[in-house]
């Protein structure tokens, strides 16, 4: 039997009229800024560092569940030293001694506390060290290592976890006796409303257990049945519920979990699904949408279905490898199911049922809220008013848009700041301060805090003077290269003038900096990185180089 790489859409309409796109929360930015660059160039689109949009738990727009999770990364070992004109040689010797003895010190501390030894992995360069990384992974029932036999080979070995539509259909239609597959729908009737989500999660968990008991080697969680009468459940929520249910029932190692979802499209989505137990993923709506764009003449160049699948898959490979590399993980087998994430803004009931063991220091969205957001997107997709679903919504998540998502750096704030700097206007700066505080309150957790004033104010004589407070100020370790030479040196100059500390970052700094006694732009804190990232020259404050 021959399967199609991309199944033709059942809707012979313009791309903006495909009701699946608003139902699964797609926006024009998703298509133009994320998906199309991946298909055309086989890699993620470049973007600036940082995200000034609100957290998922603070935004007024419905969010995908993936956005509530933040990837945890390891931190490379660095040694920070404060340079002193009188202690140049001592600083260098302290650095050398610290690097040589750090591991021994940590080992002794752990032994004294009776704790096991812990070694943190340094990040990997996924490009230069590609040879040590692999996304290949066996999928299916795991054999008993203590009782090896011929059935140990009854597994599917995938070169990567991304499946085309043809791959998923091959898994579903396999006629092998050891490769039975059960398809479970991640949807529930729209008439059940908000209260239908949790019972539906219980239903798919029960169906998954029954499938394992019946000898199924694979379970495909799919939302293809979503439509006018059925609301799709979050693929991550469904996967997490099934994954942990099978663990509790001691059945997880007996089956492979495949996610076939229209919801998945970004690198982060794939990583979260893999981190919570998915063995393979098929983003079918991405493939079908790009194929439809080609048929309508919107894809330049007009790639074939094979090229669309291969290019997008290659981009996802690079993205997953990049994320794994930041934690020093070289194989997908080590990353899959590891749950190296932190949840921000999810209620305890959601964590306990679907994401057991995940750190969640801030509660928030409950099952009721998640269900309501899914229903809101469904109602927009199938609205009786044609204008509501003709165009895909553009929330302005990446680019500021009037009436869209709020951003800390919005045009109003930037305009007020420019006026304040150019005209040296105190009223303009006051406007900038007010607008900046307003958007920070809307976008960040710190903006939700309120100052609690004492009933009896302290006497001014008991308050530490500002000249002493600023001595504890320090800039972040922003490397030269990530910011310009002018910005890097200006930060150092400002900190030196007020008595604070600036940090070179791992990029080091030019040895000639600091030679002007009236305008010292040398950083007070030197950061020495491991050889994996390169090293910097150690320069004391008198300007003479000590060592490379």
């Amino acid at each position: 039997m021959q399967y199609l790489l991309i199944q033709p859409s059942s809707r012979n309409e313009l791309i903006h009229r495909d009701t699946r796109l608003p139902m699964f929360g797609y926006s024009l930015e998703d298509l133009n800024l994320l998906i199309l660059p991946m298909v055309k160039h086989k890699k993620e689109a470049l973007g600036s560092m940082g995200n000034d949009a609100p957290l998922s738990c603070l935004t007024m727009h419905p969010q995908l569940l993936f956005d509530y999770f933040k990837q945890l990364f390891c931190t490379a070992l660095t040694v920070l030293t404060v340079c002193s004109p009188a202690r140049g040689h001592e600083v260098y010797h302290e650095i050398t001694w610290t690097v040589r003895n750090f591991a021994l010190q940590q080992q002794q501390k752990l032994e004294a506390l009776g704790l096991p030894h812990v070694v943190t992995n340094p990040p990997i360069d996924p490009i230069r060290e590609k040879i040590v990384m692999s996304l290949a992974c066996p999928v299916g029932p795991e054999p008993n290592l203590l009782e090896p036999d011929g059935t140990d080979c009854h597994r599917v070995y995938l070169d990567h976890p991304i499946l085309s539509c043809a791959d998923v259909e091959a898994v579903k239609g396999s006629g092998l006796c050891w490769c039975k597959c059960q398809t479970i729908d991640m949807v529930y009737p729209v008439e059940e409303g908000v209260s239908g989500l949790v019972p539906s999660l219980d239903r798919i968990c029960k169906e998954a257990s029954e499938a394992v008991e019946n000898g199924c080697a694979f379970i495909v969680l799919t939302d293809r049945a979503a439509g006018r009468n059925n609301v799709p459940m979050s693929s991550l929520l469904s996967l997490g519920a099934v994954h942990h249910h099978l663990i509790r029932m001691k059945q997880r190692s007996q089956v492979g979990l495949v996610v076939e979802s229209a919801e998945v499209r970004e690198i982060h989505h794939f990583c979260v699904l893999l981190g919570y137990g998915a063995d393979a993923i098929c983003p079918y709506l991405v493939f079908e949408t790009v194929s439809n764009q080609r048929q309508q003449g919107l894809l330049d160049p007009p790639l074939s279905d094979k090229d669309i699948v291969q290019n997008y898959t290659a981009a996802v490979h690079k993205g997953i490898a990049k994320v794994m590399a930041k934690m020093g993980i070289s194989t997908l087998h080590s990353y899959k199911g590891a749950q190296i994430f932190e949840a921000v803004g999810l209620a305890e009931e959601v964590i306990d049922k679907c994401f057991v063991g995940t750190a969640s220091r801030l509660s928030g969205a409950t099952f009721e809220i998640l269900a309501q957001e899914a229903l809101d997107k469904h109602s927009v997709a199938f609205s009786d008013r044609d204008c509501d679903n003709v165009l895909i919504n553009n929330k302005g998540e990446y680019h500021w848009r009037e009436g869209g998502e709020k951003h800390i750096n919005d045009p109003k704030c930037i305009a007020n700041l420019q006026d304040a700097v150019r005209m040296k206007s105190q009223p303009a700066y006051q406007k900038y301060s007010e607008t900046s505080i307003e958007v920070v309150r809307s976008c960040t957790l710190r903006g939700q805090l309120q100052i609690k004033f004492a009933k009896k104010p302290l006497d001014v004589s008991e308050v530490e003077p500002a000249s002493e407070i600023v001595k504890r100020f320090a800039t972040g370790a922003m490397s030269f290269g990530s910011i310009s030479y002018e910005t890097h040196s200006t930060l150092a100059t400002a900190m030196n003038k007020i008595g604070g500390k600036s940090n070179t970052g791992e990029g080091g700094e030019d040895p000639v900096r600091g030679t002007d006694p009236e305008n010292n732009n040398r950083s007070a804190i030197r950061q020495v990185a491991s050889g994996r990232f390169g090293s910097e020259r150690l320069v004391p404050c008198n300007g003479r180089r000590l060592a490379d």
Side-chain angles (χ1 to χ4, degrees):
M1 182 179 295
Q2 184 176 3
Y3 301 104
L4 298 176
L5 283 174
I6 301 177
Q7 293 187 2
S9 174
S10 59
R11 301 162 177 79
N12 297 320
E13 299 176 336
L14 294 176
I15 194 71
H16 290 161
R17 290 184 177 272
D18 189 343
T19 54
R20 296 176 301 174
L21 295 176
M23 182 169 56
F24 287 100
Y26 279 70
S27 68
L28 289 176
E29 288 184 323
D30 290 329
L31 297 177
N32 297 329
L33 300 182
L34 301 179
I35 296 175
L36 288 182
M38 294 170 70
V39 172
K40 292 180 180 179
H41 308 300
K42 300 183 182 180
K43 60 182 179 181
E44 289 182 273
L46 294 178
S48 60
M49 295 176 63
N51 180 13
D52 65 346
L55 293 172
S56 298
C57 55
L58 298 178
T59 180
M60 300 302 294
H61 298 271
Q63 298 291 307
L64 298 178
L65 186 60
F66 302 103
D67 298 328
Y68 287 87
F69 290 83
K70 306 298 179 183
Q71 181 76 65
L72 300 178
F73 298 111
C74 72
T75 303
L77 168 63
T78 57
V79 181
L80 301 182
T81 62
V82 179
C83 293
S84 170
R87 299 182 62 244
H89 290 279
E90 294 178 23
V91 167
Y92 171 67
H93 290 304
E94 285 178 4
I95 294 173
T96 306
W97 185 89
T98 303
V99 171
R100 290 176 180 173
N101 295 276
F102 179 81
L104 179 60
Q105 285 181 340
Q106 297 304 310
Q107 179 178 340
Q108 292 173 345
K109 290 179 181 179
L110 292 172
E111 289 177 348
L113 295 173
L115 299 176
H117 299 172
V118 179
V119 179
T120 58
N121 294 337
I124 301 172
D125 186 329
I127 299 176
R128 290 186 295 178
E129 299 177 275
K130 181 180 178 181
I131 192 172
V132 302
M133 302 195 69
S134 173
L135 296 182
C137 199
V139 178
E142 298 181 13
N144 186 349
L145 298 178
L146 302 179
E147 298 179 1
D149 56 30
T151 61
D152 294 357
C153 301
H154 292 172
R155 306 191 75 189
V156 176
Y157 283 80
L158 300 177
D159 293 332
H160 53 79
I162 312 304
L163 303 182
S164 67
C165 298
D167 296 330
V168 175
E169 293 303 317
V171 173
K172 293 179 181 179
S174 175
L176 298 176
C177 60
W178 61 268
C179 196
K180 293 173 59 178
C181 178
Q182 174 71 38
T183 300
I184 298 178
D185 292 323
M186 299 184 292
V187 299
Y188 64 94
V190 65
E191 60 267 16
E192 293 184 5
V194 173
S195 60
L197 177 58
V198 175
S200 297
L201 289 175
D202 295 335
R203 170 185 59 81
I204 64 175
C205 290
K206 181 180 178 181
E207 291 181 7
S209 284
E210 292 175 351
V212 175
E213 293 172 357
N214 294 332
C216 289
F218 294 94
I219 293 175
V220 177
L221 300 174
T222 180
D223 53 24
R224 281 190 177 271
R228 180 175 293 275
N229 299 321
N230 292 321
V231 181
M233 294 187 289
S234 166
S235 57
L236 177 58
L237 197 68
S238 303
L239 171 70
V242 171
H243 175 70
H244 283 286
H245 172 76
L246 294 178
I247 290 176
R248 288 190 292 268
M249 302 301 294
K250 299 182 179 180
Q251 296 175 316
R252 181 62 186 91
S253 62
Q254 303 175 37
V255 69
L257 294 179
V258 178
V259 176
E260 183 186 29
S261 175
E263 191 180 33
V264 188
R265 48 199 182 261
E266 298 180 24
I267 300 298
H268 180 64
H269 300 172
F270 290 96
C271 291
V272 180
L273 287 174
L274 292 170
Y276 282 95
D279 291 299
I281 306 163
C282 174
Y284 68 88
L285 187 55
V286 170
F287 298 144
E288 294 178 12
T289 299
V290 178
S291 179
N292 288 343
Q293 288 182 308
R294 180 201 61 212
Q295 295 174 10
Q296 297 168 19
L298 302 177
L299 182 62
D300 185 25
L303 303 172
S304 65
D305 284 353
K306 182 178 180 181
D307 291 334
I308 291 173
V309 173
Q310 289 182 345
N311 291 2
Y312 181 79
T313 301
V316 175
H317 289 179
K318 295 176 184 177
I320 295 175
K322 175 195 68 178
V323 174
M324 289 168 45
K326 291 181 179 180
M327 285 162 292
I329 296 177
S330 58
T331 64
L332 181 64
H333 210 159
S334 299
Y335 183 82
K336 191 165 60 175
Q339 300 189 176
I340 314 177
F341 295 89
E342 177 184 12
V344 180
L346 282 181
E348 186 177 351
E349 62 176 2
V350 179
I351 299 296
D352 292 342
K353 186 175 183 64
C354 303
F355 310 106
V356 180
T358 300
S360 179
R361 297 173 179 84
L362 179 69
S363 186
T366 61
F367 282 120
E368 181 179 355
I369 293 175
L370 297 177
Q372 186 60 58
E373 290 184 346
L375 288 170
D376 291 342
K377 289 182 286 189
H378 183 274
S379 63
V380 170
F382 296 98
S383 173
D384 294 332
R385 297 186 303 173
D386 187 61
C387 60
D388 285 344
N389 53 16
V390 169
L391 296 176
I392 306 173
N393 185 29
N394 188 349
K395 298 182 296 184
E397 182 178 357
Y398 298 98
H399 291 166
W400 181 89
R401 183 179 179 86
E402 182 66 37
E405 195 70 86
K406 290 188 176 182
H407 289 265
I408 294 178
N409 300 308
D410 66 1
K412 188 176 181 180
C413 287
I414 300 301
N416 289 332
L417 178 60
Q418 291 174 338
D419 290 342
V421 174
R422 290 170 180 170
M423 299 184 298
K424 297 183 179 180
S425 169
Q426 183 63 33
Y429 178 79
Q430 187 64 30
K431 289 183 179 179
Y432 162 72
S433 178
E434 293 173 356
T435 54
S436 178
I437 292 174
E438 180 183 349
V439 294
V440 166
R441 286 175 178 170
S442 303
C443 299
T444 66
L445 292 179
R446 69 176 184 273
Q448 307 299 309
L449 301 177
Q450 294 182 351
I451 298 177
K452 185 177 181 180
F453 295 94
K455 295 181 179 179
K456 182 180 179 181
L458 290 174
D459 189 87
V460 176
S461 61
E462 300 181 37
V463 180
E464 188 177 11
S467 58
E468 295 298 320
I469 295 176
V470 296
K471 291 181 180 180
R472 296 194 291 272
F473 285 12
T475 63
M478 295 177 286
S479 302
F480 169 55
S482 66
I483 57 177
S484 67
Y485 178 87
E486 291 77 8
T487 304
H488 199 272
S489 58
T490 300
L491 288 172
T493 302
M495 288 295 104
N496 290 333
K497 286 184 176 181
I498 67 174
K501 299 291 188 296
S502 58
N503 192 318
T504 64
E506 293 174 350
E509 65 181 20
D510 193 332
V512 302
R513 282 173 53 174
T515 55
D516 184 0
E518 297 182 358
N519 188 26
N520 183 12
N521 59 357
R522 169 167 293 160
S523 298
I525 300 176
R526 298 303 174 86
Q527 186 167 331
V528 182
S530 64
R532 187 182 294 278
F533 294 101
S535 61
E536 66 166 277
R537 294 177 174 180
L538 303 179
V539 186
C541 290
N542 59 14
R544 183 167 58 87
R545 178 165 63 88
L546 293 178
D548 289 333

